[in-house]
Amino acid sequence: MPSPHVHGLHHVTCIAGDPQENLDFYTKVLGMRLVKKSINQDAPDTYHLFYADAAGSPGTDLTFFPWPEAAPRRHGVGMTNEVMLAVPAGSLAWWRARLDEQKVRRGEETTRFGEKTLPFTDPHGLELALVEISEPRPFVAWERSSVPADRQIRGFHAVRLWVRDPAPTVRLLLDVMGLAPVGNDDGWQRFGVGGRSGTLIDVKAFPDERRGVWGLGSVHHVAWRVSDTDEEMSVRAAVEASGLHPTPQIDRFWFRSVYFKEPGGALFELATDGPGFGIDEKMEALGESLVLPPWYESQRTEIEAGLPPLRN
Ligand code: ZN
C-alpha cells in the first residue's frame, strides 16, 4: 500500500428537495438516524441534514442540502451518479418488500461484482442501491430505528462515477489516493481498500456522454476518510503534486475537510475521522437540536425563523 492514502468513504453529500420529505424518507423508510441537524455553512438559510448509524461513524454518513427550488439534476460525466448502501446478507428480500410497501421507486434485483443489489430512487431523484454484504463490518445499531438492527443499513458500500476518459481518474485513485483495483464488471472498474465494503468506487467510461449537472437528486460530493490532519495534509500535498487544485483545510467541527475536483470533474473531499458528531451534542441527543457554527450563534433566532420547521 503506497503512503499516504485514504481509508475508504467518509460521507456523501447530496441535494434534496423538501427537508421534511427528506427526513421522513431516510429515518422512517430507510431507518437511519438523524445524527446532526445543522445549516449549510455557506448558505445559512438552508439545512444540512446528516443520516448515519447510531454513532455517526465515518463511512455511514449520508448528508443532504435540501434545496426544494433547485432544478432536477442531469446525469452525465463528471458526476457521482449512484450511492450504494450495504445491508446484511440475506436481508434484501425483506428490503424489497419494505420498499414496495412504502411505494419507493425501485429497479429489479441484479448482481454486480457477484453481489446481490437492489437499485432504487429517493423521493427527490437520488439514485441509490442496497447491496448485500457477506462480511460483517463495524456498525452501531440505532435502537430507536424503524428498521430492526439485523436489517439496518451498515453504511456505504460503494459510489458510482461516470467519466468521459477514465485514465486520469484511475491514476488519481491508484497513485495519489492509494486505492487498489478490485475487479471489472459490466464495463465498470472497481477500486477500493482491501476490496472492503465501504471503501469502494466504481468508474465507467461514457465517452460520448454530456457533462452532468448538479440539481435535485444529485450527489454533490464524495468524501474520503483520512485518519487525522497529518494524513490529510500528506494526501493533500500528493493531490496538489499531481496537478489538481485542493482547497486549504476547512474546519467543519465534526471533521476537517479539503476539497478538490478529480480529473473527470466530480467533487471529492478528504475528511478526518475525528472529532466526530459527539463534539457539540450528547451522543444520546444527536440531531435533536439545530447546531450552528459558533459565528452564527448570535443570529440563532433569525436563522431558526428562516428555516422550515422539521418534525422528527
Ligand atoms: Zn462533505
Side-chain angles (χ1 to χ4, degrees):
M1 181 71 71
S3 191
H5 65 275
V6 302
H7 302 281
L9 298 164
H10 184 287
H11 65 270
V12 177
T13 295
C14 308
I15 301 171
D18 178 73
Q20 186 68 54
E21 290 172 9
N22 175 257
L23 176 68
D24 288 346
F25 185 78
Y26 286 93
T27 59
K28 291 183 183 162
V29 178
L30 297 190
M32 298 170 82
R33 182 181 185 189
L34 177 69
V35 293
K36 196 64 64 180
K37 181 169 62 175
S38 190
I39 55 170
N40 182 334
Q41 292 183 18
D42 305 313
D45 58 347
T46 303
Y47 279 116
H48 193 182
L49 303 176
F50 298 70
Y51 308 101
D53 72 355
S57 309
T60 68
D61 176 23
L62 189 54
T63 97
F64 291 89
F65 298 129
W67 284 328
E69 66 287 357
R73 52 107 177 116
R74 193 177 78 200
H75 274 353
V77 295
M79 298 269 286
T80 302
N81 289 319
E82 193 191 271
V83 180
M84 284 182 254
L85 303 170
V87 292
S91 68
L92 212 55
W94 182 90
W95 274 105
R96 188 178 57 234
R98 181 176 182 84
L99 296 185
D100 286 348
E101 170 200 297
Q102 301 281 339
K103 302 191 168 38
V104 176
R105 264 189 297 159
R106 68 164 177 88
E108 291 308 317
E109 194 176 305
T110 180
T111 302
R112 297 177 182 169
F113 291 91
E115 298 162 329
K116 287 171 75 175
T117 304
L118 184 64
F120 65 105
T121 307
D122 92 351
H124 304 129
L126 179 66
E127 297 204 347
L128 297 154
L130 296 172
V131 182
E132 278 194 4
I133 56 166
S134 42
E135 300 292 316
R137 43 180 278 194
F139 150 82
V140 183
W142 172 225
E143 76 276 9
R144 283 153 59 192
S145 173
S146 56
V147 172
D150 62 348
R151 312 260 194 248
Q152 284 177 24
I153 291 167
R154 265 43 185 167
F156 297 113
H157 184 64
V159 293
R160 296 208 129 173
L161 177 65
W162 297 18
V163 291
R164 199 163 282 146
D165 171 16
T169 297
V170 169
R171 273 199 300 278
L172 170 78
L173 297 174
L174 295 177
D175 300 343
V176 178
M177 293 168 60
L179 302 185
V182 175
N184 294 283
D185 179 65
D186 192 28
W188 292 93
Q189 299 180 68
R190 173 165 281 187
F191 304 89
V193 181
R196 289 195 305 278
S197 177
T199 73
L200 306 171
I201 179 168
D202 297 349
V203 180
K204 189 169 183 172
F206 291 86
D208 303 318
E209 187 60 60
R210 55 190 183 168
R211 188 85 172 76
V213 180
W214 279 343
L216 275 192
S218 70
V219 171
H220 186 272
H221 63 268
V222 171
W224 296 90
R225 293 176 66 176
V226 286
S227 305
D228 52 24
T229 288
D230 284 352
E231 189 168 54
E232 180 159 78
M233 297 316 278
S234 302
V235 178
R236 185 192 177 283
V239 168
E240 192 165 44
S242 79
L244 299 175
H245 305 286
T247 65
Q249 191 190 55
I250 298 168
D251 187 356
R252 298 301 190 194
F253 308 106
W254 315 295
F255 39 82
R256 309 202 197 294
S257 300
V258 168
Y259 301 85
F260 61 98
K261 283 209 165 158
E262 57 82 29
L267 185 59
F268 279 4
E269 174 183 344
L270 308 172
T272 54
D273 275 357
F277 292 114
I279 187 87
D280 51 12
E281 283 181 297
K282 290 202 175 69
M283 289 306 283
E284 61 270 23
L286 290 183
E288 290 179 8
S289 45
L290 182 72
V291 173
L292 297 178
W295 61 85
Y296 281 128
E297 228 9 281
S298 64
Q299 303 168 56
R300 175 174 282 274
T301 310
E302 300 91 299
I303 287 171
E304 285 187 335
L307 290 165
L310 273 185
R311 298 171 312 280
N312 189 20

